[in-house]
Amino acid sequence: MSKYKFNDNQIAIIEKLGLNSDIDDAEKLFSSNDHNFEELEILLKVANALYRSGHPIIEDNEYDEYLNYFKTLDPENPFLLSVEPEVLIDSKTVPLPKKMLSTDKAYSFDEIKKWTERITKAASEIEFDQNLIEIRVTPKLDGYAAYDDGVTLYTRGDGVRGRGGPTCLNN
């Protein structure tokens, strides 16, 4: 028997997203440490969708381990190159005032340095003046990626559309 059992909310999310995965088979993926490439991709998509909908099935560090292993297998996989969208089931979205990209985690100065080197290399490749690069560093609350324009707080959504509501201003 699987140690992971989806609840009704999780099953509804998986079905609404059309992840093309049998529920029993998906549950088994979370109880095994032996996955082929396709199974690992399904596991990541299911775990990501459940986490972003507020119904996680695994802990963040376990997801990160799977994700890091997947990156070693196929660093150019479309799943890795796209913004991980929030799950916006049955909710209204609005256009974001600015495009919001996904965030990468960094745990050391060396990781930050490698990231900035990738940015400057990409700028050079497209002949963009590196002196015009601006990097904004903001704190990230676990589970939230948002943009606050002083009036509305927007969630990232898919990077182009998200949810928006009044921001909380301390006057």
PDB file of all heavy atoms in Angstrom, residues 13 16-17 48-49 52-54 84-94 96 154-164:
ATOM      1  N   ILE A  13      -7.889  18.477  -8.078  1.00  0.00           N
ATOM      2  CA  ILE A  13      -6.891  19.350  -8.715  1.00  0.00           C
ATOM      3  C   ILE A  13      -6.189  18.609  -9.841  1.00  0.00           C
ATOM      4  O   ILE A  13      -6.035  19.124 -10.947  1.00  0.00           O
ATOM      5  CB  ILE A  13      -5.879  19.862  -7.662  1.00  0.00           C
ATOM      6  CG1 ILE A  13      -6.578  20.846  -6.730  1.00  0.00           C
ATOM      7  CG2 ILE A  13      -4.660  20.493  -8.329  1.00  0.00           C
ATOM      8  CD1 ILE A  13      -5.872  21.062  -5.424  1.00  0.00           C
ATOM      9  N   LYS A  16      -8.652  18.279 -12.733  1.00  0.00           N
ATOM     10  CA  LYS A  16      -8.931  19.549 -13.406  1.00  0.00           C
ATOM     11  C   LYS A  16      -7.755  20.002 -14.266  1.00  0.00           C
ATOM     12  O   LYS A  16      -7.940  20.646 -15.288  1.00  0.00           O
ATOM     13  CB  LYS A  16      -9.271  20.641 -12.396  1.00  0.00           C
ATOM     14  CG  LYS A  16     -10.680  20.564 -11.879  1.00  0.00           C
ATOM     15  CD  LYS A  16     -10.999  21.735 -10.982  1.00  0.00           C
ATOM     16  CE  LYS A  16     -12.417  21.650 -10.482  1.00  0.00           C
ATOM     17  NZ  LYS A  16     -12.791  22.807  -9.678  1.00  0.00           N
ATOM     18  N   LEU A  17      -6.561  19.683 -13.835  1.00  0.00           N
ATOM     19  CA  LEU A  17      -5.386  20.110 -14.588  1.00  0.00           C
ATOM     20  C   LEU A  17      -5.093  19.199 -15.769  1.00  0.00           C
ATOM     21  O   LEU A  17      -4.256  19.531 -16.608  1.00  0.00           O
ATOM     22  CB  LEU A  17      -4.166  20.181 -13.664  1.00  0.00           C
ATOM     23  CG  LEU A  17      -4.226  21.281 -12.615  1.00  0.00           C
ATOM     24  CD1 LEU A  17      -3.033  21.192 -11.682  1.00  0.00           C
ATOM     25  CD2 LEU A  17      -4.284  22.637 -13.273  1.00  0.00           C
ATOM     26  N   ASN A  48       4.045  19.851  -7.925  1.00  0.00           N
ATOM     27  CA  ASN A  48       4.018  21.296  -8.126  1.00  0.00           C
ATOM     28  C   ASN A  48       2.578  21.814  -8.108  1.00  0.00           C
ATOM     29  O   ASN A  48       2.263  22.803  -7.448  1.00  0.00           O
ATOM     30  CB  ASN A  48       4.711  21.658  -9.438  1.00  0.00           C
ATOM     31  CG  ASN A  48       4.727  23.146  -9.683  1.00  0.00           C
ATOM     32  OD1 ASN A  48       5.194  23.917  -8.849  1.00  0.00           O
ATOM     33  ND2 ASN A  48       4.203  23.565 -10.814  1.00  0.00           N
ATOM     34  N   ALA A  49       1.689  21.144  -8.836  1.00  0.00           N
ATOM     35  CA  ALA A  49       0.289  21.576  -8.898  1.00  0.00           C
ATOM     36  C   ALA A  49      -0.369  21.508  -7.530  1.00  0.00           C
ATOM     37  O   ALA A  49      -1.090  22.433  -7.130  1.00  0.00           O
ATOM     38  CB  ALA A  49      -0.478  20.718  -9.902  1.00  0.00           C
ATOM     39  N   ARG A  52       1.106  24.354  -5.212  1.00  0.00           N
ATOM     40  CA  ARG A  52       0.664  25.694  -5.598  1.00  0.00           C
ATOM     41  C   ARG A  52      -0.834  25.900  -5.390  1.00  0.00           C
ATOM     42  O   ARG A  52      -1.295  27.030  -5.366  1.00  0.00           O
ATOM     43  CB  ARG A  52       1.087  26.000  -7.025  1.00  0.00           C
ATOM     44  CG  ARG A  52       2.605  26.078  -7.124  1.00  0.00           C
ATOM     45  CD  ARG A  52       3.112  26.478  -8.474  1.00  0.00           C
ATOM     46  NE  ARG A  52       4.559  26.523  -8.474  1.00  0.00           N
ATOM     47  CZ  ARG A  52       5.287  27.494  -7.942  1.00  0.00           C
ATOM     48  NH1 ARG A  52       4.712  28.510  -7.365  1.00  0.00           N
ATOM     49  NH2 ARG A  52       6.596  27.450  -7.975  1.00  0.00           N
ATOM     50  N   SER A  53      -1.575  24.824  -5.239  1.00  0.00           N
ATOM     51  CA  SER A  53      -3.001  24.950  -4.975  1.00  0.00           C
ATOM     52  C   SER A  53      -3.299  24.925  -3.478  1.00  0.00           C
ATOM     53  O   SER A  53      -4.450  25.026  -3.074  1.00  0.00           O
ATOM     54  CB  SER A  53      -3.770  23.834  -5.671  1.00  0.00           C
ATOM     55  OG  SER A  53      -3.430  22.584  -5.093  1.00  0.00           O
ATOM     56  N   GLY A  54      -2.251  24.775  -2.672  1.00  0.00           N
ATOM     57  CA  GLY A  54      -2.440  24.771  -1.221  1.00  0.00           C
ATOM     58  C   GLY A  54      -2.705  23.399  -0.632  1.00  0.00           C
ATOM     59  O   GLY A  54      -3.115  23.283   0.517  1.00  0.00           O
ATOM     60  N   GLU A  84       6.966  28.102 -13.345  1.00  0.00           N
ATOM     61  CA  GLU A  84       6.051  27.189 -12.683  1.00  0.00           C
ATOM     62  C   GLU A  84       4.820  27.991 -12.293  1.00  0.00           C
ATOM     63  O   GLU A  84       4.887  28.851 -11.417  1.00  0.00           O
ATOM     64  CB  GLU A  84       6.700  26.579 -11.439  1.00  0.00           C
ATOM     65  CG  GLU A  84       7.838  25.642 -11.744  1.00  0.00           C
ATOM     66  CD  GLU A  84       8.459  25.066 -10.491  1.00  0.00           C
ATOM     67  OE1 GLU A  84       7.832  25.119  -9.412  1.00  0.00           O
ATOM     68  OE2 GLU A  84       9.573  24.563 -10.580  1.00  0.00           O
ATOM     69  N   PRO A  85       3.704  27.743 -12.956  1.00  0.00           N
ATOM     70  CA  PRO A  85       2.531  28.573 -12.690  1.00  0.00           C
ATOM     71  C   PRO A  85       1.853  28.237 -11.377  1.00  0.00           C
ATOM     72  O   PRO A  85       1.931  27.119 -10.898  1.00  0.00           O
ATOM     73  CB  PRO A  85       1.604  28.240 -13.858  1.00  0.00           C
ATOM     74  CG  PRO A  85       1.962  26.843 -14.213  1.00  0.00           C
ATOM     75  CD  PRO A  85       3.452  26.729 -13.958  1.00  0.00           C
ATOM     76  N   GLU A  86       1.204  29.249 -10.806  1.00  0.00           N
ATOM     77  CA  GLU A  86       0.305  28.993  -9.704  1.00  0.00           C
ATOM     78  C   GLU A  86      -0.871  28.244 -10.282  1.00  0.00           C
ATOM     79  O   GLU A  86      -1.207  28.386 -11.443  1.00  0.00           O
ATOM     80  CB  GLU A  86      -0.250  30.306  -9.137  1.00  0.00           C
ATOM     81  CG  GLU A  86       0.716  31.136  -8.387  1.00  0.00           C
ATOM     82  CD  GLU A  86       0.050  32.429  -7.927  1.00  0.00           C
ATOM     83  OE1 GLU A  86      -1.165  32.442  -7.696  1.00  0.00           O
ATOM     84  OE2 GLU A  86       0.763  33.406  -7.830  1.00  0.00           O
ATOM     85  N   VAL A  87      -1.516  27.474  -9.476  1.00  0.00           N
ATOM     86  CA  VAL A  87      -2.710  26.791  -9.922  1.00  0.00           C
ATOM     87  C   VAL A  87      -3.877  27.741  -9.663  1.00  0.00           C
ATOM     88  O   VAL A  87      -4.168  28.083  -8.530  1.00  0.00           O
ATOM     89  CB  VAL A  87      -2.891  25.458  -9.184  1.00  0.00           C
ATOM     90  CG1 VAL A  87      -4.190  24.796  -9.589  1.00  0.00           C
ATOM     91  CG2 VAL A  87      -1.710  24.549  -9.473  1.00  0.00           C
ATOM     92  N   LEU A  88      -4.483  28.211 -10.732  1.00  0.00           N
ATOM     93  CA  LEU A  88      -5.556  29.190 -10.619  1.00  0.00           C
ATOM     94  C   LEU A  88      -6.873  28.551 -11.050  1.00  0.00           C
ATOM     95  O   LEU A  88      -7.482  28.928 -12.031  1.00  0.00           O
ATOM     96  CB  LEU A  88      -5.249  30.416 -11.487  1.00  0.00           C
ATOM     97  CG  LEU A  88      -3.979  31.160 -11.122  1.00  0.00           C
ATOM     98  CD1 LEU A  88      -3.683  32.249 -12.139  1.00  0.00           C
ATOM     99  CD2 LEU A  88      -4.087  31.758  -9.729  1.00  0.00           C
ATOM    100  N   ILE A  89      -7.275  27.558 -10.305  1.00  0.00           N
ATOM    101  CA  ILE A  89      -8.501  26.852 -10.624  1.00  0.00           C
ATOM    102  C   ILE A  89      -9.688  27.659 -10.120  1.00  0.00           C
ATOM    103  O   ILE A  89      -9.720  28.096  -8.972  1.00  0.00           O
ATOM    104  CB  ILE A  89      -8.493  25.445  -9.991  1.00  0.00           C
ATOM    105  CG1 ILE A  89      -7.358  24.622 -10.577  1.00  0.00           C
ATOM    106  CG2 ILE A  89      -9.827  24.747 -10.178  1.00  0.00           C
ATOM    107  CD1 ILE A  89      -7.150  23.301  -9.912  1.00  0.00           C
ATOM    108  N   ASP A  90     -10.680  27.848 -10.987  1.00  0.00           N
ATOM    109  CA  ASP A  90     -11.919  28.532 -10.626  1.00  0.00           C
ATOM    110  C   ASP A  90     -11.680  29.900 -10.010  1.00  0.00           C
ATOM    111  O   ASP A  90     -12.361  30.306  -9.085  1.00  0.00           O
ATOM    112  CB  ASP A  90     -12.757  27.677  -9.658  1.00  0.00           C
ATOM    113  CG  ASP A  90     -13.204  26.375 -10.304  1.00  0.00           C
ATOM    114  OD1 ASP A  90     -13.322  26.338 -11.538  1.00  0.00           O
ATOM    115  OD2 ASP A  90     -13.443  25.411  -9.560  1.00  0.00           O
ATOM    116  N   SER A  91     -10.693  30.619 -10.480  1.00  0.00           N
ATOM    117  CA  SER A  91     -10.473  31.967  -9.976  1.00  0.00           C
ATOM    118  C   SER A  91     -10.274  32.910 -11.144  1.00  0.00           C
ATOM    119  O   SER A  91      -9.885  32.505 -12.227  1.00  0.00           O
ATOM    120  CB  SER A  91      -9.256  32.001  -9.046  1.00  0.00           C
ATOM    121  OG  SER A  91      -8.092  31.689  -9.767  1.00  0.00           O
ATOM    122  N   LYS A  92     -10.542  34.163 -10.907  1.00  0.00           N
ATOM    123  CA  LYS A  92     -10.391  35.162 -11.962  1.00  0.00           C
ATOM    124  C   LYS A  92      -8.961  35.685 -11.948  1.00  0.00           C
ATOM    125  O   LYS A  92      -8.385  35.916 -10.899  1.00  0.00           O
ATOM    126  CB  LYS A  92     -11.379  36.302 -11.736  1.00  0.00           C
ATOM    127  CG  LYS A  92     -12.813  35.834 -11.874  1.00  0.00           C
ATOM    128  CD  LYS A  92     -13.777  36.969 -11.760  1.00  0.00           C
ATOM    129  CE  LYS A  92     -15.176  36.401 -11.930  1.00  0.00           C
ATOM    130  NZ  LYS A  92     -16.177  37.403 -12.003  1.00  0.00           N
ATOM    131  N   THR A  93      -8.430  35.879 -13.128  1.00  0.00           N
ATOM    132  CA  THR A  93      -7.081  36.407 -13.234  1.00  0.00           C
ATOM    133  C   THR A  93      -7.124  37.760 -13.916  1.00  0.00           C
ATOM    134  O   THR A  93      -8.093  38.110 -14.582  1.00  0.00           O
ATOM    135  CB  THR A  93      -6.167  35.457 -14.034  1.00  0.00           C
ATOM    136  OG1 THR A  93      -6.670  35.319 -15.356  1.00  0.00           O
ATOM    137  CG2 THR A  93      -6.067  34.092 -13.364  1.00  0.00           C
ATOM    138  N   VAL A  94      -6.056  38.506 -13.720  1.00  0.00           N
ATOM    139  CA  VAL A  94      -5.918  39.825 -14.331  1.00  0.00           C
ATOM    140  C   VAL A  94      -4.550  39.899 -14.993  1.00  0.00           C
ATOM    141  O   VAL A  94      -3.622  39.203 -14.595  1.00  0.00           O
ATOM    142  CB  VAL A  94      -6.055  40.954 -13.278  1.00  0.00           C
ATOM    143  CG1 VAL A  94      -7.446  40.947 -12.658  1.00  0.00           C
ATOM    144  CG2 VAL A  94      -4.991  40.822 -12.191  1.00  0.00           C
ATOM    145  N   LEU A  96      -0.907  41.077 -15.518  1.00  0.00           N
ATOM    146  CA  LEU A  96       0.077  41.637 -14.590  1.00  0.00           C
ATOM    147  C   LEU A  96       0.666  42.915 -15.182  1.00  0.00           C
ATOM    148  O   LEU A  96       0.867  43.001 -16.396  1.00  0.00           O
ATOM    149  CB  LEU A  96       1.196  40.631 -14.333  1.00  0.00           C
ATOM    150  CG  LEU A  96       0.772  39.308 -13.694  1.00  0.00           C
ATOM    151  CD1 LEU A  96       1.952  38.361 -13.600  1.00  0.00           C
ATOM    152  CD2 LEU A  96       0.164  39.540 -12.325  1.00  0.00           C
ATOM    153  N   TYR A 154      -0.228  41.581  -6.701  1.00  0.00           N
ATOM    154  CA  TYR A 154      -0.502  40.602  -7.747  1.00  0.00           C
ATOM    155  C   TYR A 154       0.282  39.334  -7.467  1.00  0.00           C
ATOM    156  O   TYR A 154       1.470  39.398  -7.186  1.00  0.00           O
ATOM    157  CB  TYR A 154      -0.062  41.123  -9.115  1.00  0.00           C
ATOM    158  CG  TYR A 154      -0.741  42.388  -9.555  1.00  0.00           C
ATOM    159  CD1 TYR A 154      -0.194  43.636  -9.252  1.00  0.00           C
ATOM    160  CD2 TYR A 154      -1.921  42.344 -10.296  1.00  0.00           C
ATOM    161  CE1 TYR A 154      -0.806  44.813  -9.668  1.00  0.00           C
ATOM    162  CE2 TYR A 154      -2.538  43.511 -10.720  1.00  0.00           C
ATOM    163  CZ  TYR A 154      -1.976  44.735 -10.401  1.00  0.00           C
ATOM    164  OH  TYR A 154      -2.580  45.887 -10.821  1.00  0.00           O
ATOM    165  N   THR A 155      -0.371  38.179  -7.590  1.00  0.00           N
ATOM    166  CA  THR A 155       0.367  36.927  -7.541  1.00  0.00           C
ATOM    167  C   THR A 155       0.907  36.642  -8.934  1.00  0.00           C
ATOM    168  O   THR A 155       0.360  37.122  -9.923  1.00  0.00           O
ATOM    169  CB  THR A 155      -0.517  35.751  -7.083  1.00  0.00           C
ATOM    170  OG1 THR A 155      -1.568  35.564  -8.023  1.00  0.00           O
ATOM    171  CG2 THR A 155      -1.064  35.994  -5.681  1.00  0.00           C
ATOM    172  N   ARG A 156       1.977  35.868  -9.024  1.00  0.00           N
ATOM    173  CA  ARG A 156       2.666  35.649 -10.292  1.00  0.00           C
ATOM    174  C   ARG A 156       1.826  34.893 -11.302  1.00  0.00           C
ATOM    175  O   ARG A 156       1.929  35.112 -12.506  1.00  0.00           O
ATOM    176  CB  ARG A 156       3.991  34.924 -10.061  1.00  0.00           C
ATOM    177  CG  ARG A 156       4.792  34.818 -11.368  1.00  0.00           C
ATOM    178  CD  ARG A 156       6.071  34.042 -11.231  1.00  0.00           C
ATOM    179  NE  ARG A 156       5.741  32.646 -11.077  1.00  0.00           N
ATOM    180  CZ  ARG A 156       6.334  31.831 -10.232  1.00  0.00           C
ATOM    181  NH1 ARG A 156       7.290  32.253  -9.465  1.00  0.00           N
ATOM    182  NH2 ARG A 156       5.980  30.581 -10.135  1.00  0.00           N
ATOM    183  N   GLY A 157       0.999  33.979 -10.857  1.00  0.00           N
ATOM    184  CA  GLY A 157       0.217  33.193 -11.814  1.00  0.00           C
ATOM    185  C   GLY A 157       1.123  32.494 -12.798  1.00  0.00           C
ATOM    186  O   GLY A 157       2.067  31.822 -12.424  1.00  0.00           O
ATOM    187  N   ASP A 158       0.882  32.725 -14.082  1.00  0.00           N
ATOM    188  CA  ASP A 158       1.718  32.097 -15.116  1.00  0.00           C
ATOM    189  C   ASP A 158       2.814  33.039 -15.598  1.00  0.00           C
ATOM    190  O   ASP A 158       3.487  32.771 -16.576  1.00  0.00           O
ATOM    191  CB  ASP A 158       0.874  31.610 -16.292  1.00  0.00           C
ATOM    192  CG  ASP A 158       0.211  32.744 -17.065  1.00  0.00           C
ATOM    193  OD1 ASP A 158       0.411  33.935 -16.725  1.00  0.00           O
ATOM    194  OD2 ASP A 158      -0.513  32.441 -18.020  1.00  0.00           O
ATOM    195  N   GLY A 159       2.977  34.165 -14.919  1.00  0.00           N
ATOM    196  CA  GLY A 159       4.001  35.139 -15.297  1.00  0.00           C
ATOM    197  C   GLY A 159       3.456  36.280 -16.121  1.00  0.00           C
ATOM    198  O   GLY A 159       4.062  37.343 -16.203  1.00  0.00           O
ATOM    199  N   VAL A 160       2.279  36.083 -16.721  1.00  0.00           N
ATOM    200  CA  VAL A 160       1.641  37.111 -17.534  1.00  0.00           C
ATOM    201  C   VAL A 160       0.297  37.510 -16.924  1.00  0.00           C
ATOM    202  O   VAL A 160      -0.081  38.670 -16.935  1.00  0.00           O
ATOM    203  CB  VAL A 160       1.436  36.607 -18.991  1.00  0.00           C
ATOM    204  CG1 VAL A 160       0.715  37.639 -19.842  1.00  0.00           C
ATOM    205  CG2 VAL A 160       2.779  36.249 -19.613  1.00  0.00           C
ATOM    206  N   ARG A 161      -0.409  36.519 -16.371  1.00  0.00           N
ATOM    207  CA  ARG A 161      -1.688  36.765 -15.694  1.00  0.00           C
ATOM    208  C   ARG A 161      -1.614  36.157 -14.300  1.00  0.00           C
ATOM    209  O   ARG A 161      -1.059  35.080 -14.118  1.00  0.00           O
ATOM    210  CB  ARG A 161      -2.857  36.146 -16.463  1.00  0.00           C
ATOM    211  CG  ARG A 161      -3.091  36.768 -17.829  1.00  0.00           C
ATOM    212  CD  ARG A 161      -4.334  36.204 -18.498  1.00  0.00           C
ATOM    213  NE  ARG A 161      -5.562  36.525 -17.774  1.00  0.00           N
ATOM    214  CZ  ARG A 161      -6.215  37.675 -17.885  1.00  0.00           C
ATOM    215  NH1 ARG A 161      -5.761  38.619 -18.673  1.00  0.00           N
ATOM    216  NH2 ARG A 161      -7.327  37.885 -17.206  1.00  0.00           N
ATOM    217  N   GLY A 162      -2.189  36.840 -13.325  1.00  0.00           N
ATOM    218  CA  GLY A 162      -2.229  36.340 -11.962  1.00  0.00           C
ATOM    219  C   GLY A 162      -3.464  36.873 -11.270  1.00  0.00           C
ATOM    220  O   GLY A 162      -4.338  37.456 -11.894  1.00  0.00           O
ATOM    221  N   ARG A 163      -3.505  36.694  -9.974  1.00  0.00           N
ATOM    222  CA  ARG A 163      -4.616  37.256  -9.206  1.00  0.00           C
ATOM    223  C   ARG A 163      -4.162  38.569  -8.607  1.00  0.00           C
ATOM    224  O   ARG A 163      -2.987  38.747  -8.280  1.00  0.00           O
ATOM    225  CB  ARG A 163      -5.026  36.290  -8.098  1.00  0.00           C
ATOM    226  CG  ARG A 163      -5.781  35.084  -8.640  1.00  0.00           C
ATOM    227  CD  ARG A 163      -6.251  34.207  -7.538  1.00  0.00           C
ATOM    228  NE  ARG A 163      -5.126  33.396  -7.091  1.00  0.00           N
ATOM    229  CZ  ARG A 163      -5.219  32.374  -6.271  1.00  0.00           C
ATOM    230  NH1 ARG A 163      -6.361  32.041  -5.773  1.00  0.00           N
ATOM    231  NH2 ARG A 163      -4.157  31.707  -5.930  1.00  0.00           N
ATOM    232  N   GLY A 164      -5.080  39.494  -8.465  1.00  0.00           N
ATOM    233  CA  GLY A 164      -4.742  40.796  -7.895  1.00  0.00           C
ATOM    234  C   GLY A 164      -5.781  41.227  -6.887  1.00  0.00           C
ATOM    235  O   GLY A 164      -6.972  40.992  -7.069  1.00  0.00           O
TER     236      GLY A 164
END
